[in-house]
Amino acid sequence: MITSEAIGDWTWEVTPNADGIRPARAAETAVAVWNVLAGNELAIPVGRTSVSVRSVSDSRDVRVRADGLSLEPDPLSAETALSRAVAEADSLEGDFVFDVRIECPGYWLERGVKHRAEKLFVIQAEVWKDSLLVVTLETYTDAWLTMDTRDREQSELYTENAPRLAAALEGISSLLGIAPTPGDPNRHATPTETGFEDPRIEGPAYDDSWGTFEVPTRSGLLRSGIPASEDEYQEITDQPVRYFTVQRDGQTVGFLWASAGDEAAGYEPRTAAGDRAFEAGSEWLLRLRTAHSHGLNALAALTWTAQNPPRPESDLIVEKAPQEAPSLDFLEDLSGRY
């Protein structure tokens, strides 16, 4: 399963030499970690990078902010967007926290087939007052676990993917000259120096952590960018659902659905598509609100909304007729798995 919050994380604290650590070195380190991940196709083009510099004493005092930068083939060469942001950060004097963050698309494997997730890993490198470099790696899939986050055993998937993660952690540790500190146990899993603990031994911290926590988290992300409203359909149903596959610019970003037995309708983001799945989903939810304001029942709204996409020039409904799913849970699982 793919998640919008990290499954686990690992941290390396690098002690500087006498000259301290400047932002340029942190950026170089982050790119070097990317290259380690790329060696196992855990990071593939094109990554997205953000850079920020804020005051140590006041986090609201932001001196540099650059978001959504493409990680170009040689990202720190002269005149790239990243190198310009880093140069601006390097020019500052004072007590600051420098942060560079790279979202890494990458592949996880299932029976030899590559599946792409737009945010498989996130690399973060922070410099505190030129005196400490903290490198953090986060992962957003449970492909490294013996059981997925819905409590299903996946030994074959684990065998294909866990060694790739272990090799990456070893490579990063060799690069930085220090072993990682695994993150704390969380609602999904318990990180170790080489990957994750086996949840089959003591059991998961929560039953069906993906369904319990990720589903409401995704709903919150979808609705965070649109105004609250009571003019909409019910969000949940225990009835079978009918749905359409939604594409934007040729990429599947989610599923538009309606209940076959009550007045529920909504949109399930395909988490593997990353942020654009949620950006598109917010717009589709607004279209459903329009259908609701017209007095359409849920199934009629499904048809009307599919015929009136928010972005006709780039949005595509794949099927000519709606597909059927036995439950909303089935569709949620589909949207979070691939």
Side-chain angles (χ1 to χ4, degrees):
M1 303 297 291
I2 311 296
T3 56
S4 54
E5 296 182 329
I7 292 282
D9 63 87
W10 301 264
T11 300
W12 295 259
E13 292 190 0
V14 180
T15 304
N17 55 30
D19 297 329
I21 298 177
R22 297 295 293 167
R25 181 179 169 190
E28 290 166 358
T29 300
V31 171
V33 171
W34 164 280
N35 289 332
V36 172
L37 296 179
N40 281 300
E41 291 190 307
L42 299 175
I44 57 177
V46 173
R48 293 200 307 171
T49 308
S50 62
V51 172
S52 70
V53 180
R54 65 185 188 277
S55 170
V56 170
S57 59
D58 183 1
S59 61
R60 297 170 298 179
D61 181 10
V62 179
R63 301 299 180 89
V64 177
R65 183 88 192 186
D67 295 317
L69 309 178
S70 294
L71 192 71
E72 300 169 61
D74 189 3
L76 293 174
S77 62
E79 297 307 313
T80 65
L82 178 58
S83 68
R84 288 194 295 270
V86 171
E88 184 179 358
D90 251 340
S91 69
L92 298 175
E93 297 293 338
D95 290 340
F96 297 105
V97 179
F98 170 81
D99 178 270
V100 58
R101 181 178 173 90
I102 305 175
E103 292 189 1
C104 310
Y107 293 123
W108 58 275
L109 306 177
E110 184 175 28
R111 298 178 181 176
V113 177
K114 296 177 181 179
H115 296 277
R116 177 176 175 132
E118 296 302 321
K119 190 169 71 173
L120 193 68
F121 288 93
V122 168
I123 302 162
Q124 186 171 11
E126 284 186 313
V127 176
W128 290 77
K129 300 169 61 174
D130 295 349
S131 62
L132 178 66
L133 171 61
V134 180
V135 178
T136 302
L137 181 71
E138 301 172 339
T139 186
Y140 291 78
T141 177
D142 61 15
W144 334 108
L145 303 178
T146 56
M147 292 175 60
D148 75 5
T149 46
R150 306 213 75 178
D151 307 334
R152 298 172 293 209
E153 287 206 29
Q154 51 179 20
S155 56
E156 292 184 9
L157 198 72
Y158 168 81
T159 300
E160 284 186 280
N161 293 284
R164 302 168 66 221
L165 173 61
L169 293 172
E170 182 180 4
I172 296 168
S173 296
S174 178
L175 171 73
L176 300 177
I178 187 173
T181 299
D184 293 334
N186 58 57
R187 58 184 57 164
H188 296 301
T190 300
T192 68
E193 285 192 9
T194 58
F196 289 93
E197 288 187 0
D198 187 343
R200 296 174 300 183
I201 297 175
E202 295 187 1
Y206 294 90
D207 292 337
D208 188 15
S209 63
W210 193 91
T212 302
F213 299 105
E214 178 65 13
V215 169
T217 296
R218 298 197 317 171
S219 178
L221 288 171
L222 280 172
R223 296 174 183 280
S224 63
I226 59 178
S229 173
E230 295 183 359
D231 192 10
E232 58 185 0
Y233 300 94
Q234 301 168 30
E235 290 186 62
I236 58 175
T237 179
D238 58 5
Q239 300 292 314
V241 299
R242 297 176 186 171
Y243 68 92
F244 287 109
T245 303
V246 176
Q247 290 188 347
R248 176 162 288 183
D249 296 322
Q251 181 185 32
T252 297
V253 292
F255 304 92
L256 185 70
W257 63 270
S259 167
D262 56 30
E263 291 307 300
Y267 169 95
E268 291 303 323
R270 178 175 167 260
T271 320
D275 291 343
R276 68 185 332 218
F278 293 91
E279 294 163 1
S282 296
E283 296 176 8
W284 282 94
L285 286 180
L286 290 176
R287 298 303 287 162
L288 280 172
R289 286 184 182 178
T290 301
H292 190 270
S293 70
H294 292 337
L296 300 178
N297 65 38
L299 287 177
L302 177 66
T303 300
W304 181 89
T305 305
Q307 294 172 347
N308 294 274
R311 298 191 188 185
E313 72 284 357
S314 59
D315 289 343
L316 174 69
I317 295 295
V318 175
E319 301 90 358
K320 293 183 178 179
Q323 306 297 294
E324 295 191 4
S327 66
L328 179 57
D329 180 79
F330 176 94
L331 189 60
E332 289 169 343
D333 193 84
L334 175 64
S335 69
R337 190 167 183 83
Y338 297 105

